[in-house]
Amino acid sequence: MSGHIMARKDDVHISKSSAGTGWKVTQGGSVLSTHRTQRNAVDVAKKEAQRDRVDLVVHDRDGRIRSKDSFARDPQPPRPKAH
C-alpha cells in the first residue's frame, strides 16, 4: 500500500429550490444545476454521484430524506461463498 489517501468527495443532494419553483442538485454546498422536475434532477444527479463514487441523497418537498443510493466503491465487497 502506498499510504496515499484520496480525499472523498461530498455526496450529491437533490432538494427543492429555495425559490420553490423547481429542484436543485447540490454537492459540497454548491448548486450544480436546477430542474423543473425532481425526475430530471435525479437523472443528472445520478450521473454526478456515479462519476464521483458518492451517495445520492434525494430530499422530499419538506427537506426530509426520501431516499439514498450509494455509488461508492465498496472497500470490502462480499466474497463469493465456497460451495
Side-chain angles (χ1 to χ4, degrees), residues 11 63 66:
D11 293 336
R66 192 181 96 186

Side-chain angles (χ1 to χ4, degrees), residues 50-68:
Q50 287 172 330
R51 186 193 73 213
D52 292 343
R53 294 186 174 137
V54 297
D55 292 348
L56 170 60
V57 183
V58 181
H59 298 265
D60 66 15
R61 293 180 188 275
D62 297 322
R64 293 182 301 247
I65 294 175
R66 192 181 96 186
S67 66
K68 188 172 185 179

Side-chain angles (χ1 to χ4, degrees), residues 4-22:
H4 175 72
I5 298 174
M6 191 163 105
R8 187 178 191 283
K9 286 202 167 208
D10 292 324
D11 293 336
V12 176
H13 290 260
I14 298 170
S15 57
K16 196 74 173 148
S17 69
S18 56
T21 56

Side-chain angles (χ1 to χ4, degrees), residues 8-47:
R8 187 178 191 283
K9 286 202 167 208
D10 292 324
D11 293 336
V12 176
H13 290 260
I14 298 170
S15 57
K16 196 74 173 148
S17 69
S18 56
T21 56
W23 296 87
K24 63 183 176 180
V25 176
T26 59
Q27 187 176 26
S30 298
V31 176
L32 302 178
S33 58
T34 56
H35 306 271
R36 243 175 29 100
T37 66
Q38 190 180 51
R39 178 170 295 193
N40 289 346
V42 167
D43 290 343
V44 170
K46 185 184 257 186
K47 291 175 187 168

